[in-house]
Amino acid sequence: MNINSPIGFFDSGVGGLSVLSSFRKILPNEDIIYYGDLKNLPYGDKSQAQIIGFSKKILDFFEKKGVKAVVIACNTSSALAYESVKDHYGFKLYPVIQSCAKVISSMSVNRIGVFATQGTVTSGAYTRELTKYKPDLKVKEIACPHWVSIVEGLNSDINPEEDIKSKLEEMMEFSPDKIILGCTHYPYLLPVLTKFAPKELFINPADIFVDYIKSDLRVSGLLNPSASEGNENFYVSANPENFIEHSKIFYNIDKQVNLV
Ligand code: DGL
């Protein structure tokens, strides 16, 4: 492992590509390996033991690839698996929730809302991480089990706009100063969310996350000094065609997706 080694990204599916897309805008020269665990998605309704098992398998894969760091783009893995895996690997680990908590809690806010998957909400990870830095902060987490499928255009039995509006109404009763979109897919619902609430209310953690990763890589002496555009390789545990199809809303993949 050295400064020229690749950086791994992983998620249950295509959602982590939203983080990769933000990452590419500020670090275009890093080599990237992306892993989408389509065989096991969705992660949002799985048990903690399952999420730890999936995450370890993916991190073992990245270890064999000789990465210098892994970005845990998936909120659910960061919430349920990070604590169990963090000391087991010789590369840097960047979990989205833990990496963003300090910056978010330092904003001038007293009440924070979080929309996330059922697994993330049940874990209480956002509340735990945010209140580490600001113990008086009031946090309300609401699970939105349909939102991933809404973004991917898969739900036929619910009215997407009604579902989004009703979750937002429930959240607004808490009078949040800000609302974290705590799942990789949710920033893509901003066009609907902002029909009912101002854009400034929402936090897309990806922006804060990639700034954090860049500054930590720099401090750790791990930023790739190359001036040329980095390589990208994509791997999935199942359904490469499905991955390519659904990736289009998040990222432009112009190469073969490998099945592992
Ligand atoms: N990408 C996952 C997250 O950020 C959500 C998708 C899933 O449930 O698999 O939590």
Side-chain angles (χ1 to χ4, degrees):
M1 166 181 119
N2 59 50
I3 53 173
N4 299 309
S5 301
I7 298 177
F9 276 71
F10 85 86
D11 185 47
S12 55
V14 293
L17 293 171
S18 64
V19 178
L20 179 57
S21 166
S22 299
F23 180 88
R24 271 297 180 228
K25 288 183 193 132
I26 67 157
L27 287 172
N29 57 333
E30 296 288 345
D31 290 344
I32 294 302
I33 302 174
Y34 185 96
Y35 188 108
D37 194 8
L38 275 76
K39 187 173 157 196
N40 297 308
L41 68 71
Y43 276 11
D45 59 5
K46 300 292 189 309
S47 71
Q48 180 164 24
Q50 285 176 301
I51 301 295
I52 292 171
F54 303 151
S55 304
K56 276 190 176 154
K57 206 169 157 198
I58 298 166
L59 291 168
D60 290 347
F61 166 84
F62 282 132
E63 190 168 46
K64 290 196 193 96
K65 293 282 180 194
V67 296
K68 63 182 175 188
V70 170
V71 176
I72 308 180
C74 179
N75 288 262
T76 310
S77 299
S78 301
L80 295 171
Y82 172 66
E83 284 299 323
S84 305
V85 299
K86 67 178 185 196
D87 299 324
H88 295 185
Y89 297 91
F91 43 79
K92 284 250 159 193
L93 278 180
Y94 295 118
V96 57
I97 298 174
Q98 293 81 349
S99 303
C100 296
K102 191 173 178 185
V103 171
I104 295 175
S105 59
S106 70
M107 293 173 171
S108 62
V109 289
N110 298 311
R111 303 172 74 80
I112 286 229
V114 181
F115 286 135
T117 65
Q118 188 61 62
T120 300
V121 169
T122 305
S123 78
Y126 266 105
T127 303
R128 199 167 50 245
E129 294 300 323
L130 291 165
T131 53
K132 252 187 211 171
Y133 300 101
K134 199 187 249 185
D136 293 343
L137 194 67
K138 300 277 176 291
V139 186
K140 181 170 179 72
E141 304 193 40
I142 295 182
C144 306
H146 297 302
W147 287 16
V148 167
S149 351
I150 290 174
V151 173
E152 296 198 8
L154 302 174
N155 256 322
S156 51
D157 52 343
I158 58 150
N159 179 324
E161 192 160 310
E162 280 304 313
D163 188 75
I164 294 165
K165 191 167 168 241
S166 93
K167 294 288 179 192
L168 189 55
E169 279 169 1
E170 185 187 341
M171 182 62 87
M172 294 314 266
E173 281 171 25
F174 170 70
S175 304
D177 300 316
K178 293 277 181 195
I179 300 173
I180 300 171
L181 301 175
C183 169
T184 49
H185 283 62
Y186 297 178
Y188 291 85
L189 295 174
L190 275 169
V192 184
L193 288 163
T194 52
K195 279 189 188 176
F196 310 109
K199 190 168 182 281
E200 302 69 49
L201 191 60
F202 300 100
I203 297 174
N204 176 2
D207 302 331
I208 297 164
F209 192 24
V210 296
D211 282 345
Y212 174 86
I213 296 166
K214 183 177 179 179
S215 82
D216 193 79
L217 286 172
R218 182 187 289 121
V219 170
S220 311
L222 285 172
L223 271 184
N224 191 330
S226 160
S228 51
E229 205 167 289
N231 290 324
E232 297 185 341
N233 283 293
F234 296 90
Y235 293 85
V236 289
S237 54
N239 303 325
E241 302 78 21
N242 186 293
F243 179 80
I244 293 166
E245 175 61 29
H246 287 108
S247 68
K248 293 192 175 92
I249 41 173
F250 298 100
Y251 201 72
N252 180 29
I253 297 176
D254 55 5
K255 62 197 307 185
Q256 193 195 321
V257 171
N258 306 290
L259 182 63
V260 281

